[in-house]
């Protein structure tokens, strides 16, 4: 380890004192799994590590520690392992520079010891950003305690195609909704002053969720205006409003250029227009894909040059390509100044979190490097927050008055493959999927998975294979990790012990166990209510139909579940259908067959109690959809903020629709969600104009009433429509929203406001702003349930 006195805060001085090899080391990742020593037995208490390998594997230090979530069996063993690795890295690194340890946190700290929360899509369904800030703060405390510096979250992608399997990791389809939740998450991780000692990473930049055909990592067919004004908006807001420090590139390509090598995207747009001054890290193997997938590079060195020249600072998880940068510099194919710029960015972040001895850090940041590591995670706070998200994230899609049921209201029969499974309520990047990954890898590498050759299998193929016979193993893991979490069936019986369960329906079609109409009818004969719990599994490995690398040509209920619902409806018994999913599904059959439909958007360990509470009225549903549900596969992609002349909503006249659909509208619109209460919104003219623009703020004064007979909560949504512009605008865009709790019969005055700049767009000359003209402001309970509106003129504005 090179030791010398450093000038506090003088990162450029430090860079000038590093050798070429030492600089390159700071721009690479190091997979901590390379240090793992296999333990004894079927499930060793904790994988051991051999840190004596560090000097030979990373003689000049390293930039990042990757894959840390596979270390340790509890918080203490994880912390111990990372501390040992950090010490070994500091011994070989110049000036004792430590490594940035990163981890995932989109659903909570990704580790068996971490508090888990409902998925991001479920969080968005709650329409309560303050809850996300609280959840992120708990995750940050877990990470600081473990010695983590970067949270590789939140996912800021807009998801408008439900065929894509990663919808559940996002905040849905709308730029404003995603922006507000992204800002809330970053503030929770980094602290209100940005000095928590932990930093957030926005991903994936950009357009990842708009892949062609819904295929993971496929080309994104978007114009630059859509990228800038819609898909980049959550990043813009997180940078300007929350001080986002790190960004991760997306896997897709834009107009023939992979995002990992796109200088316009990573430098001109991100750093130039959006004002980002932090570090850009690669998604895992994204630099490698320039050679192996996209064929824009024919060698490792060429791939590294393309990426770093575009503005990508760090290759992860390892150094497969960036390790060749020395040859590229010495041969003259890369200017060392480009390397210095990236190293300066990385070391600036390291100084901020206390990884460079002698470098000053902002107040609070040093807690990340101290033995105490800041305030321990608050488990009670975590439980309170996840219960609140689960209760508010439930979405009542349809109800004819059947719900809520009376706990002693007669014979209740529960069916469906999701009724007595815990695993189904967790998505990818959770404690459950993390525990399943090594089991799946071991099964593949030991030849237990039919049709997969261990000799030719590579890690990135792990998402694809079917794993027959593993469902019970994976379910056992979920119950081991979350022993107190009840299934939906267990929770329903907590309210009504006489609930009967008949195991009908499967996630995978099985001709040998086909549904029999007579058997279904006999199972629910004389039932006063039937509850069908259906859905799809979401995760990393196993028999999932959604998750990373899991795209579906038709996002439908898998197996025989649609048939089950139809057969149940044919019996004439009152049918309530609970749908467990982290993305919109094609639910036309369910909607037609059911008297009530309740969406449970991957609520994790709180799913059972929340669902049962809503079914029996202990919880009054108040969630709102963060994504549009299509009526038919052919409508995809479908989203509320489509342009004039396109999509399903045409406020200025008829347009061409689908001639084989009776209704072009979605099955359930963005922002939709019913309640056991009813609500109304009216303009409030009592103190002047109900809608006006004052000092750059659009303000709407509203009267919101609970017109029902029970107390409840709702989300008031404020939309706007630019009536004329030289660039085609959306038929509506979300400006803001607020969640309200109202007693039965209560009316409350509500002020909703939003900066006029939320209406800005890229104009014909390339600048952003707003042209003069009329704008209509709309107050609503969903995008298709507008209660009142007002049009007012706005003057021209420029960003």
């Amino acid at each position: 380890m090179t030791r010398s006195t450093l000038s506090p805060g003088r990162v450029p001085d430090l860079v000038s004192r590093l050798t070429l090899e030492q600089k390159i080391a700071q721009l690479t990742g190091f997979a901590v799994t390379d240090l793992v020593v296999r333990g004894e037995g079927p499930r060793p208490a904790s994988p051991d590590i051999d840190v004596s390998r560090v000097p030979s594997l990373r003689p000049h230090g390293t930039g990042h520690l990757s894959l840390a979530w596979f270390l340790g069996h509890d918080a203490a063993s994880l912390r111990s392992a990372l501390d040992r690795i950090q010490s070994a890295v500091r011994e070989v690194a110049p000036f004792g520079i430590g490594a940035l340890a990163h981890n995932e946190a989109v659903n909570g700290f990704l580790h068996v010891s971490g508090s888990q929360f409902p998925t991001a899509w479920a969080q968005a369904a709650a329409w309560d950003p303050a809850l996300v800030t609280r959840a992120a703060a708990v995750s940050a405390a877990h990470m600081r305690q473990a010695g983590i510096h970067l949270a590789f979250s939140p996912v800021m992608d807009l998801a408008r195609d439900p065929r894509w399997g990663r919808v559940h990791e996002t905040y849905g389809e709308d730029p404003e909704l995603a922006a507000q939740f992204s800002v809330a998450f970053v503030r929770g991780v980094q602290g209100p002053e940005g000095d928590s000692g932990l930093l957030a990473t926005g991903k994936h930049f950009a357009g990842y969720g708009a892949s062609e055909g819904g295929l993971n990592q496929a080309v994104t067919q978007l114009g630059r205006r859509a990228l800038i004004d819609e898909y980049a908006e959550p990043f813009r807001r997180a940078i300007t409003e929350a001080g986002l420090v790190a960004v991760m590139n997306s896997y897709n390509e834009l107009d023939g250029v992979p995002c990992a090598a796109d200088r316009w995207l990573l430098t001109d747009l991100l750093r130039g227009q959006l004002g980002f001054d932090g570090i850009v890290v690669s998604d895992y193997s994204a630099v490698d894909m320039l050679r192996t997938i996209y064929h824009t590079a024919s060698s490792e060195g060429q791939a590294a040059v393309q990426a770093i020249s575009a503005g990508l600072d760090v290759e992860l998880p390892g150094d497969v390509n960036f390790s060749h940068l020395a040859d590229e510099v010495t041969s003259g194919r890369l200017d060392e100044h480009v390397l210095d710029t990236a190293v300066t960015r990385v070391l600036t972040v390291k100084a901020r979190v206390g990884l460079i001895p002698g470098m000053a850090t902002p107040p609070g940041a040093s807690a990340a490097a101290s033995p105490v590591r800041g305030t321990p995670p608050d488990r009670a706070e975590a439980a309170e927050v996840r219960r609140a998200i689960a209760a508010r994230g439930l979405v009542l899609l349809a109800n004819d008055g059947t719900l809520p049921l009376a706990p002693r209201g007669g014979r209740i029969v529960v069916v469906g493959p999701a009724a007595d499974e815990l695993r189904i309520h967790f998505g990818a990047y959770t404690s459950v999927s993390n525990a399943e990954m090594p089991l799946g890898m071991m099964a593949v590498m030991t030849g237990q998975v039919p049709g997969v050759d261990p000799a030719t299998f590579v890690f990135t193929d792990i998402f694809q294979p079917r794993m027959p016979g593993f469902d019970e193993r994976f379910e056992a893991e979920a119950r081991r990790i979350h022993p107190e979490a009840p299934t939906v069936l267990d929770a329903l019986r907590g309210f009504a012990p006489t609930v009967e369960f008949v195991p009908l329906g499967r996630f995978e079609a099985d001709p040998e166990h086909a549904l029999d109409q007579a058997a279904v009818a006999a199972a629910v004969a004389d039932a006063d209510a039937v509850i069908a719990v259906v859905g799809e599994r979401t995760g990393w490995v196993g028999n999932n139909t959604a998750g990373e690398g899991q795209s579906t040509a038709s996002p439908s209920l898998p197996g025989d579940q649609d048939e089950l619902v139809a057969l149940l409806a044919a019996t004439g018994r009152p049918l309530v259908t609970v749908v467990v999913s982290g993305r919109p599904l094609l639910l036309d059959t369910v909607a037609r067959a059911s008297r009530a439909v309740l969406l449970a958007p991957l609520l994790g360990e709180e799913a059972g109690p929340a669902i049962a509470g809503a079914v029996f009225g202990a919880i009054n549903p108040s969630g709102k959809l963060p994504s549009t549900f299509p009526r038919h596969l052919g409508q995809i992609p479908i989203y509320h903020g489509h342009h004039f002349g396109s999509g399903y909503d045409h406020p200025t006249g008829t347009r061409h629709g689908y001639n084989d659909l009776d209704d072009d509208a979605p099955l359930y619109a963005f922002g939709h969600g019913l309640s056991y209460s009813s609500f109304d919104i009216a303009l409030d003219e009592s103190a002047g104009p109900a809608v006006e623009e004052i000092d750059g703020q659009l303000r709407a004064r509203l009267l919101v009433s609970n017109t029902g007979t029970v107390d409840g909560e709702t989300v008031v949504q404020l939309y706007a429509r630019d009536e004329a512009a030289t660039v085609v605008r959306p038929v509506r865009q979300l400006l803001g929203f607020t969640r309200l709790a109202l007693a039965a019969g209560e009316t409350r005055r509500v002020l909703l406001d939003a900066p006029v700049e939320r209406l800005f767009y890229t104009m014909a000359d390339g600048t952003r702003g707003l042209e003069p003209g009329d704008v209509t402001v709309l107050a609503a309970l969903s995008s298709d349930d507008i209660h009142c509106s007002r049009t007012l003129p706005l003057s021209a504005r420029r960003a």
Side-chain angles (χ1 to χ4, degrees):
M1 176 171 63
T2 305
R3 294 190 181 276
S4 179
T5 302
L6 296 174
S7 303
R10 292 298 303 275
V11 170
D13 174 57
L14 173 58
V15 173
S16 70
R17 299 163 71 176
L18 301 180
T19 67
L20 180 59
E21 289 74 15
Q22 289 170 342
K23 292 176 185 177
I24 293 169
Q26 293 302 313
L27 307 182
T28 64
F30 175 42
V32 297
T33 49
D34 289 346
L35 304 176
V36 170
V37 179
R38 174 175 284 187
E40 300 297 330
R43 183 189 287 127
S46 178
D48 198 10
I49 54 172
D50 180 6
V51 296
S52 68
R53 299 177 185 176
V54 171
S56 61
L57 293 174
R58 288 295 186 273
H60 305 291
T62 189
H64 282 247
L65 299 182
S66 304
L67 296 166
W69 45 85
F70 290 125
L71 296 179
H73 65 281
D74 58 17
S77 57
L78 171 63
R79 180 172 62 246
S80 174
L82 284 174
D83 283 348
R84 290 165 59 198
I85 296 170
Q86 281 284 12
S87 295
V89 169
R90 287 182 182 274
E91 283 298 315
V92 298
F95 305 101
I97 301 172
L100 287 163
H102 60 251
N103 207 305
E104 304 281 351
V106 66
N107 310 301
F109 179 41
L110 180 59
H111 193 260
V112 68
S113 67
S115 298
Q116 304 296 291
F117 297 97
T119 58
W121 199 61
Q123 295 167 26
W127 288 62
D128 192 343
L131 288 176
V132 173
T133 298
R134 291 173 62 188
V138 171
S139 299
H142 277 290
M143 290 176 141
R144 286 194 302 271
Q145 185 183 56
I148 304 293
H149 311 98
L150 279 177
F152 275 3
S153 305
V155 176
M156 299 183 182
D157 299 300
L158 302 187
R160 293 174 169 177
D161 190 333
R163 293 173 296 180
W164 188 53
R166 300 188 73 173
V167 172
H168 70 289
E169 298 176 43
T170 77
Y171 298 124
E173 71 180 44
D174 184 83
E176 180 62 29
L177 191 67
Q180 290 205 31
F181 276 87
S182 296
V183 168
F185 186 98
V186 175
R187 286 175 175 164
V189 165
Q190 297 184 178
E193 302 300 323
D195 59 358
S196 74
L198 188 76
L199 303 174
T201 306
K203 60 185 189 182
H204 308 81
F205 198 71
Y208 184 33
S211 57
E212 187 175 74
L215 292 171
N216 195 45
Q217 303 179 355
V219 60
T220 294
Q221 304 283 13
L222 290 174
R224 286 192 174 183
R225 183 172 280 108
L227 277 166
I228 295 170
D229 295 345
E230 299 174 40
Y231 288 81
E233 181 64 13
F235 295 88
R236 180 195 306 278
R237 298 273 290 282
I239 292 165
T240 59
E241 297 178 21
L244 181 68
V245 173
V247 165
M248 177 184 287
N249 75 280
S250 57
Y251 282 122
N252 52 296
E253 55 134 316
L254 299 169
D255 197 24
V257 183
C259 292
D262 192 333
R263 183 171 177 80
W264 172 81
L265 183 73
L266 300 181
T267 297
D268 296 347
L269 175 59
L270 180 60
R271 297 191 183 278
Q273 186 167 332
L274 303 188
F276 180 70
D277 62 1
I279 59 169
V280 177
V281 300
S282 85
D283 204 340
Y284 277 19
S285 299
V287 180
D288 220 33
M289 289 170 60
L290 300 178
R291 296 183 300 110
T292 61
I293 302 297
Y294 293 119
H295 302 279
T296 62
S298 56
S299 68
E300 290 87 348
Q302 200 174 76
V305 169
Q306 287 181 7
I308 198 168
S309 298
L312 192 147
D313 301 312
V314 180
E315 178 184 12
L316 297 174
D319 66 345
V320 172
N321 303 279
F322 272 30
S323 62
H324 293 265
L325 283 172
D327 291 340
E328 299 302 314
V329 171
T330 56
S331 67
R333 291 186 293 268
L334 178 68
D335 189 330
E336 191 169 351
H337 174 71
V338 176
L339 202 70
D340 291 347
T341 299
V343 176
T344 299
R345 293 169 182 155
V346 170
L347 294 183
T348 298
V349 170
K350 287 193 172 186
R352 177 169 173 169
V353 296
L355 285 173
I356 306 178
M359 285 278 185
T361 58
S366 59
S370 72
V372 178
R373 301 179 190 273
T375 305
D378 188 337
R379 299 278 182 175
E381 166 77 352
E384 181 180 324
V385 171
R386 66 172 171 258
R387 283 195 294 267
I389 295 173
R392 295 176 181 178
L394 281 167
V395 184
L396 185 61
L397 297 176
N399 187 27
D400 67 354
T402 297
L403 287 181
L405 301 178
R408 288 173 169 70
R411 182 180 181 228
I412 299 174
V413 177
V414 178
V415 301
D420 199 29
E421 180 172 290
L422 182 62
R423 177 189 181 228
I424 193 172
H425 301 289
F426 293 84
Y429 294 94
T430 63
S431 58
V432 170
S433 62
N434 196 46
E436 293 171 353
M437 179 69 83
L439 294 178
M441 283 298 299
M442 182 64 68
V444 167
M445 302 314 295
T446 55
Q448 299 179 52
V449 180
V452 177
D453 182 359
T456 60
F457 184 84
V458 295
F459 175 76
T460 50
D461 294 334
I462 188 64
F463 305 122
Q464 304 301 321
R466 299 293 89 189
M467 295 186 177
F470 274 71
D471 294 340
E472 291 185 3
R473 289 194 222 180
F474 288 159
E475 175 67 8
E477 277 296 286
R479 297 188 184 210
R480 179 183 68 83
I481 296 168
H482 299 284
E484 303 300 320
T487 65
V488 174
L489 177 62
D490 294 334
L492 289 170
R493 283 176 170 165
F495 280 88
T498 59
V499 161
E500 302 173 35
F501 175 57
V502 181
L504 295 173
R506 295 174 179 271
F507 292 118
E508 297 188 73
D510 184 354
E512 294 184 5
H513 297 87
L515 288 169
D516 178 76
Q517 183 174 6
V520 171
V524 300
D526 301 323
D528 294 284
V530 178
I531 303 173
V533 190
V534 298
E536 67 172 349
R537 292 176 173 137
T538 304
W540 275 335
V541 300
N543 303 316
N544 305 308
T545 48
E548 186 168 0
Q550 307 269 354
S551 297
T552 46
S554 178
S556 308
L557 288 170
D560 59 9
Q561 295 178 93
D562 269 329
E563 182 186 0
L564 171 63
V565 170
L567 290 176
L568 291 169
T571 67
R573 299 293 88 199
L575 175 63
V576 173
T577 303
V578 176
V579 179
V580 182
S581 174
R583 60 175 174 169
L585 296 177
L586 297 168
L587 296 180
D588 188 60
T589 297
V590 169
R592 293 174 185 273
S594 309
R595 296 194 182 182
V597 182
L598 184 67
L599 173 68
L602 302 190
L603 302 175
E605 59 198 286
E606 299 297 335
I611 292 166
V615 166
F616 289 113
I619 292 173
N620 188 350
S622 60
K624 301 283 188 176
L625 289 178
S627 301
T628 302
F629 276 55
R631 190 176 300 274
H632 188 278
L633 178 65
Q635 293 174 298
I636 295 173
I638 184 171
Y639 51 96
H640 86 94
H642 62 79
H643 284 193
F644 280 102
S646 301
Y648 65 87
D649 194 10
H650 312 293
T652 56
T654 58
R655 289 291 298 165
H656 300 289
Y658 296 103
N659 60 21
D660 55 348
L661 288 182
D662 294 331
D663 189 347
D664 283 343
L667 183 63
Y668 303 116
F670 172 83
H672 170 75
L674 304 178
S675 169
Y676 299 147
S677 309
S678 55
F679 299 92
D680 191 26
I681 309 172
L683 296 175
D684 179 10
E685 306 277 8
S686 63
V691 179
E692 57 186 339
E693 186 258 323
I694 300 176
D695 298 329
Q697 292 284 119
L698 279 173
R699 294 182 178 175
R701 295 181 180 86
L702 307 170
L703 293 171
V704 183
S705 303
N706 180 342
T707 58
T709 58
V710 295
D711 300 347
E713 296 187 18
T714 192
V715 178
V716 181
Q717 303 158 37
L718 194 68
Y719 297 88
R721 179 172 62 241
D722 195 335
E723 298 293 357
T726 56
V727 172
V728 180
R729 305 301 301 132
V731 295
R732 82 181 64 79
Q733 62 185 98
L734 184 67
L735 288 186
F737 53 89
T738 189
R739 173 176 276 275
L740 290 175
L742 295 172
E746 180 184 2
T747 296
R748 189 179 305 172
R749 285 189 168 87
V750 174
L751 175 65
L752 273 176
D753 61 354
V756 173
E757 65 187 29
R758 290 187 183 168
L759 295 170
F760 283 10
Y761 52 90
T762 303
M763 296 186 285
D765 63 359
T767 63
R768 276 177 53 85
L770 181 70
E771 296 168 284
D774 287 345
V775 169
T776 299
V777 177
L778 312 101
L781 292 175
S782 76
S783 62
D784 67 345
D785 186 13
I786 308 298
H787 282 240
C788 51
S789 65
R790 181 64 52 84
T791 301
L792 72 163
L794 292 179
S795 59
R797 317 291 166 97
R798 294 278 177 165

